[in-house]
Amino acid sequence: SWMKMRHEDSVTFGGENMEYERTCCTCRWHEGYTWICFNGESPNCADMTDPEDTCEYWEARTEENGIGDYEVN
């Protein structure tokens, strides 16, 4: 379900304004391959989090601040 968004939850990509659902899959600290949370302030840090999970420490992922995906060598 979509949650109410605050103004700061909107990010502009290529001139388009996009609003985020405040879930792990849109959080800058959620790593998409391993599903690990890397936010040191979150009680979920270093735990696997479901992409649909939420927490109060959510931060919008942008092209500039995302942590990327784990690389398998």
Side-chain angles (χ1 to χ4, degrees):
S1 70
W2 287 88
M3 301 173 72
K4 283 189 170 184
M5 302 294 146
R6 298 181 314 222
H7 177 69
E8 57 269 19
D9 294 340
S10 297
V11 176
T12 301
F13 281 113
E16 291 188 37
N17 192 33
M18 301 178 69
E19 289 189 350
Y20 283 96
E21 185 175 6
R22 296 172 61 94
T23 60
C24 290
C25 67
T26 61
C27 182
R28 75 174 285 187
W29 299 107
H30 179 82
E31 198 281 318
Y33 182 77
T34 62
W35 292 10
I36 301 289
C37 174
F38 285 91
N39 185 343
E41 296 180 12
S42 172
N44 301 317
C45 184
D47 290 336
M48 289 182 67
T49 56
D50 191 271
E52 287 79 34
D53 286 349
T54 62
C55 87
E56 64 182 297
Y57 298 99
W58 178 91
E59 294 180 43
R61 180 186 306 143
T62 66
E63 292 175 9
E64 291 82 29
N65 75 3
I67 62 170
D69 289 332
Y70 179 79
E71 292 184 20
V72 178
N73 292 325

